[in-house]
Structure formats: structure tokens, C-alpha cells
């Protein structure tokens, strides 16, 4: 066998190995890209959800305070409160802390309804104190949910690397 045939056989063998390695690399890169695309989609969706919950929650809590501070427009404020309450409730799931959050918002709704519907709203100090307590608990629940979500997002980003 002459040297040219040996070089040709070796070149063909290495070219074949190169094609196989390239194919495997391309296949692996494609799997990684699909996985990263999925993770990025989920992470972006969760980020929007957390941001929406935080935004609606802060508006909700601000409106709760404003109902007690303003004498006029309480019915409109109550309607606005319901809008944010429902926006938050719809975005929550059936986890225990979500159920607790929904329950506390419902309690606030009941107390504020009594306050808004009452002719003598100055005499409802117990209602106001109870709403303040519930509002603080809601704030802590929303804050905890946001922190947990942030931990999950950091974990997902770590998986990508």
C-alpha cells in the first residue's frame, strides 16, 4: 500500500470522526438551547407574576389606608379596593399561604364594607384596628411570597450556568 492511500484512509477516518463529533455537538447544543429557552420563558412569566402581585398588593394596601383617611369618595375607594383585591386573588393559587392571603383580604373587605356602609363611621375603632392588623399580615404574606419567588428565580438562573 502506498503512502498516498494511507494518508487518504487516515484523512477519511478523521473526517468521519469530525462529522460524528460535530453532529453530537450540534445535537447537544440544540437540547441545551431548548432547555434554556423553556427556563427563560418560565422565569420571565414568574417574574411578571411576582411583579404584578407586588404592584397590585401595594396599591391594595394603599387604598385600605386611604379609605380611613378620606371622608368623601369612600364608595369609589371601596370599589377600587375590590378591583385590586380581585386582581390579586385571581393571580393566586391553592397553596396554604395563598388561601390565607385570600382569607385575610376577604376579612378586610367585610370590615371596610361595614365602615363604608355605616352612617357613623367614626364609631368603628375596633373595625379600624382589626383592618390594620390584617393589613400588616397581608403585607408580610406578600413580602414572603415575593422573597420565595426571588429564591426560585435565582435557583433557575444557577441551573442555566
Amino acid at each position: 500500500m502506498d503512502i498516498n492511500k494511507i494518508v487518504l484512509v487516515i484523512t477519511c477516518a478523521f473526517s468521519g470522526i469530525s462529522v460524528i463529533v460535530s453532529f453530537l455537538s450540534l445535537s447537544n447544543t440544540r437540547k441545551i438551547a431548548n432547555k434554556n429557552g423553556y427556563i427563560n420563558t418560565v422565569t420571565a412569566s414568574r417574574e411578571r407574576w411576582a411583579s404584578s402581585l407586588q404592584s397590585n398588593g401595594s396599591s391594595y394596601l394603599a387604598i385600605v389606608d386611604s379609605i380611613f383617611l378620606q371622608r368623601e369618595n369612600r364608595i369609589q375607594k371601596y370599589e377600587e379596593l375590590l378591583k385590586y383585591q380581585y386582581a390579586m386573588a385571581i393571580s393566586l393559587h391553592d397553596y396554604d399561604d395563598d388561601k390565607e392571603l385570600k382569607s385575610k383580604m376577604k376579612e378586610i373587605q367585610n370590615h371596610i364594607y361595614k365602615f363604608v356602609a355605616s352612617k357613623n363611621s367614626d364609631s368603628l375603632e375596633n373595625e379600624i384596628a382589626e383592618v390594620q392588623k390584617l393589613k400588616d399580615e397581608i403585607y408580610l404574606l406578600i413580602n414572603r411570597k415575593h422573597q420565595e419567588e426571588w429564591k426560585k428565580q435565582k435557583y433557575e438562573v444557577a441551573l442555566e450556568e
Side-chain angles (χ1 to χ4, degrees):
M1 200 173 200
D2 86 1
I3 192 107
N4 289 337
K5 287 186 180 182
I6 293 173
V7 170
L8 181 63
V9 169
I10 291 173
T11 303
C12 287
F14 280 115
S15 294
I17 291 171
S18 175
V19 168
I20 292 170
V21 169
S22 294
F23 176 76
L24 292 174
S25 177
L26 181 62
S27 175
N28 194 33
T29 301
R30 189 176 191 184
K31 286 178 186 176
I32 290 171
N34 286 342
K35 179 181 171 187
N36 285 344
Y38 175 76
I39 288 173
N40 289 339
T41 300
V42 169
T43 301
S45 176
R46 290 170 67 155
E47 189 175 312
R48 283 190 307 273
W49 173 84
S51 178
S52 171
L53 181 64
Q54 191 175 32
S55 175
N56 287 332
S58 64
S59 296
Y60 173 83
L61 295 172
I63 291 170
V64 169
D65 281 340
S66 72
I67 287 174
F68 294 113
L69 295 175
Q70 296 177 350
R71 294 257 180 231
E72 57 280 337
N73 299 327
R74 285 186 176 156
I75 293 173
Q76 289 84 2
K77 288 288 183 183
Y78 178 73
E79 291 169 352
E80 192 175 353
L81 172 106
L82 293 178
K83 177 181 113 180
Y84 286 107
Q85 178 178 331
Y86 296 147
M88 288 171 54
I90 287 170
S91 71
L92 297 173
H93 304 286
D94 283 335
Y95 302 120
D96 289 340
D97 59 344
D98 291 349
K99 290 177 184 176
E100 184 181 0
L101 188 55
K102 289 177 188 178
S103 171
K104 291 183 184 307
M105 288 190 301
K106 185 67 176 167
E107 284 183 60
I108 284 181
Q109 178 186 347
N110 293 336
H111 288 296
I112 289 180
Y113 180 80
K114 288 179 195 174
F115 181 78
V116 169
S118 172
K119 299 294 182 206
N120 186 9
S121 57
D122 293 331
S123 66
L124 299 172
E125 289 182 27
N126 290 339
E127 299 290 328
I128 295 171
E130 183 62 25
V131 167
Q132 186 62 38
K133 182 182 135 226
L134 290 166
K135 188 183 79 142
D136 292 342
E137 292 171 3
I138 287 174
Y139 171 80
L140 292 174
L141 283 168
I142 292 172
N143 212 17
R144 189 175 344 132
K145 289 190 76 54
H146 195 263
Q147 288 173 346
E148 289 171 4
E149 194 60 33
W150 179 246
K151 286 178 189 175
K152 290 175 187 175
Q153 288 179 19
K154 286 193 313 189
Y155 175 75
E156 288 171 355
V157 168
L159 284 179
E160 286 182 32
E161 298 172 351

